[in-house]
Amino acid sequence: MRLAIIGGGAAGMMASVFAAGKGITVDLYEQNEKLGKKLYITGKGRCNLTNACDMEDLLGSVKSNAKFLYSAFYGFTNQDTMNFFEKKGLRLKVERGNRVFPLSDRSADVLDTLKRAMREAGVRVHLNSRVMRLCKEGEVFCLQMEDGSVHKADRVFVSTGGISYESTGSTGDGYRFARELGLEVTDLYPSLVPFNMKEDFIKELQGLALKNVSVKIMDGKKLLWEDFGELLFTHFGVSGPVVLTASSICGKKLQKKELKLVLDLKPALSEEQLDARILREFDCGKNKKFGNVASAFFPSKLTPVMIRLSGISPEKRVNEITREERQRFLRNMKELELTIEGLRGYNEAVITKGGVSVKEIDPATMESKKVPGLCFIGEVLDLDALTGGFNLQIAWSTAVAAAEHVKRT
């Protein structure tokens, strides 16, 4: 039997290792000049390769079609992932949030481990080899290559990824293959991606990181999402871990309408406690100008913006500030309302939300219900999760599920 794997990213490489041998010839086709380009940059070059949480949290971190992954996740767990890499000689460590990294903090070491395993298994790698069309003639699959040649296979795994980070080779070919073969592809959105914001003053805050803020996403009066963590202001809007997570939950809504992002800059204090603190600061500096006293509450970049939003002149003496003005100053700290215009583009998105519909895929084997012998694995499927190693675990688990099925057939 000959298996062709289209795409040499995380899922494709892992599937090739497990499928090779036992009489199966594995050919992996990668359009780039090297394997694993996206894997190399994941985790800011450190490669957060899985998450060491329990299975309930693992499934709970999947935001699209988590039930579909039940069989794959239990068939190849996050612990199995760690065992695989450690047995291949890669030392690992677990950091905050159960994130698992190579001990060296080098994604290149994860790639080297996979490539070494592929060589040992006898996988035949074809670099600079883009598949332009995939079709099936009888029982045989035909891969029409960019150079005009045609390669044939008995089974095919499509592991082409999504369309995020196009510079790494994410061209969306897998979606096209699926549609041409009669499979449904759901709507696509960038996910785990920063927000574009409407307010002009955002540019003044570029580079400012707020480490302990509470963030709400509101659709009118309806709360869509709430979390606590780190937020980073950029020249276009906001980013940071808490924002990337929010994009996974609210991205679809943002395709249709603007939403509100509400920041609590002082989440450790109730309104009463914050008001008491403001009064203390005002009392200590009652003869000072408001602009000087306000700086006690914020980082230097944020101070002039918050003064403007308060509507209080920075030259006004603190002892002249009215109760109404003080309350408005307080509310801006507890409920700083910003407008989300939309998501940044795919080239800044960690993953693509949407993909080949899992309704048409066998969850135990990743095989198409319409086209026998054709499997889809990894990000090309309509599966996505939060940051923290969960999306790579989807890649590993779906890859192994498909590979183990090929061994049995």
Side-chain angles (χ1 to χ4, degrees):
M1 180 191 295
R2 181 178 171 189
L3 167 67
I5 299 178
I6 308 173
M13 287 188 283
M14 182 66 86
S16 74
V17 172
F18 275 78
K22 297 188 176 182
I24 299 175
T25 300
V26 179
D27 286 277
L28 186 146
Y29 299 91
E30 169 55 49
Q31 66 179 351
N32 289 319
E33 75 284 359
K34 57 186 177 182
L35 298 171
K37 266 193 166 184
K38 187 175 179 183
L39 190 64
Y40 183 77
I41 63 174
T42 189
K44 297 181 180 178
R46 298 173 61 218
C47 193
N48 178 192
L49 55 88
T50 190
N51 192 287
C53 64
D54 60 32
M55 189 56 68
E56 183 179 351
D57 287 340
L58 188 65
L59 285 163
S61 297
V62 178
K63 293 305 165 187
S64 298
N65 303 308
K67 290 181 180 179
F68 174 86
L69 282 166
Y70 189 91
S71 177
F73 271 178
Y74 276 97
F76 191 76
T77 67
N78 46 356
Q79 188 59 56
D80 291 330
T81 296
M82 290 184 277
N83 291 341
F84 168 83
F85 282 103
E86 287 179 328
K87 286 178 181 178
K88 296 296 182 183
L90 183 68
R91 298 175 66 190
L92 304 176
K93 62 179 177 179
V94 180
E95 295 188 358
R96 178 180 56 84
N98 287 317
R99 289 169 166 82
V100 179
F101 293 90
L103 186 62
S104 64
D105 282 330
R106 283 169 40 87
S107 58
D109 292 341
V110 178
L111 274 169
D112 288 343
T113 302
L114 285 167
K115 288 188 283 189
R116 184 169 60 251
M118 292 168 69
R119 288 193 299 271
E120 292 170 353
V123 178
R124 302 193 306 198
V125 178
H126 307 264
L127 299 176
N128 298 303
S129 299
R130 184 178 182 183
V131 179
M132 299 304 294
R133 187 165 181 265
L134 175 64
C135 60
K136 191 174 186 184
E137 297 177 357
E139 297 299 313
V140 177
F141 289 93
C142 295
L143 286 69
Q144 296 183 9
M145 311 302 294
E146 192 170 32
D147 65 5
S149 63
V150 177
H151 296 205
K152 296 188 176 182
D154 302 298
R155 302 283 189 275
V156 172
F157 291 177
V158 176
S159 57
T160 49
I163 48 177
S164 58
Y165 288 139
E166 188 176 350
S167 58
T168 64
S170 301
T171 56
D173 285 348
Y175 306 134
R176 179 167 53 81
F177 298 153
R179 291 188 184 102
E180 289 173 353
L181 287 164
L183 280 72
E184 179 189 351
V185 177
T186 64
D187 292 340
L188 305 174
Y189 308 93
S191 191
L192 302 181
V193 65
F195 291 150
N196 284 318
M197 308 303 289
K198 194 171 190 175
E199 286 73 18
D200 291 336
F201 63 74
I202 292 292
K203 293 179 182 178
E204 298 176 47
L205 304 176
Q206 181 178 351
L208 173 63
L210 301 177
K211 292 192 175 181
N212 298 300
V213 292
S214 175
V215 180
K216 293 179 181 179
I217 308 294
M218 306 294 297
D219 182 4
K221 294 184 178 181
K222 182 180 179 182
L223 176 65
L224 299 180
W225 179 85
E226 182 177 12
D227 202 359
F228 176 87
E230 181 176 347
L231 178 142
L232 173 69
F233 289 97
T234 68
H235 67 285
F236 54 77
V238 291
S239 186
V242 72
V243 171
L244 298 188
T245 299
S247 74
S248 177
I249 310 299
C250 308
K252 288 186 179 180
K253 282 264 187 184
L254 283 167
Q255 302 294 316
K256 302 173 183 177
K257 61 194 302 187
E258 294 179 346
L259 300 175
K260 294 295 183 180
L261 184 149
V262 182
L263 295 178
D264 182 348
L265 300 174
K266 304 292 180 183
L269 301 176
S270 67
E271 287 196 9
E272 292 77 13
Q273 290 170 325
L274 181 56
D275 195 31
R277 185 188 164 191
I278 293 171
L279 285 169
R280 286 197 302 272
E281 294 289 345
F282 280 13
D283 187 55
C284 290
K286 55 188 174 184
N287 293 317
K288 294 182 179 179
K289 295 178 180 179
F290 174 62
N292 295 330
V293 176
S295 63
F297 296 95
F298 314 108
S300 58
K301 270 192 176 183
L302 187 56
T303 299
V305 170
M306 295 303 292
I307 289 173
R308 290 204 304 275
L309 292 176
S310 75
I312 305 170
S313 168
E315 301 298 316
K316 191 170 187 175
R317 299 290 173 181
V318 168
N319 58 12
E320 297 174 352
I321 291 175
T322 66
R323 182 179 183 278
E324 182 182 9
E325 288 174 326
R326 190 183 80 244
Q327 289 298 310
R328 188 165 63 241
F329 182 53
L330 183 152
R331 282 194 298 274
N332 279 337
M333 280 194 265
K334 295 295 289 181
E335 296 181 1
L336 178 58
E337 188 174 285
L338 306 172
T339 307
I340 310 170
E341 286 189 311
L343 303 171
R344 297 293 285 176
Y346 284 108
N347 217 35
E348 295 179 47
V350 176
I351 59 167
T352 304
K353 195 176 188 74
V356 177
S357 174
V358 297
K359 294 177 183 178
E360 302 186 352
I361 303 296
D362 185 328
T365 65
M366 302 299 128
E367 186 174 17
S368 165
K369 295 175 182 178
K370 289 183 177 178
V371 186
L374 175 65
C375 295
F376 290 85
I377 57 177
E379 192 183 344
V380 72
L381 288 164
D382 182 13
L383 301 167
D384 66 272
L386 303 178
T387 57
F390 303 107
N391 287 290
L392 271 179
Q393 186 59 48
I394 292 174
W396 310 133
S397 293
T398 56
V400 173
E404 290 296 334
H405 168 62
V406 168
K407 287 183 182 180
R408 293 193 299 271
T409 55

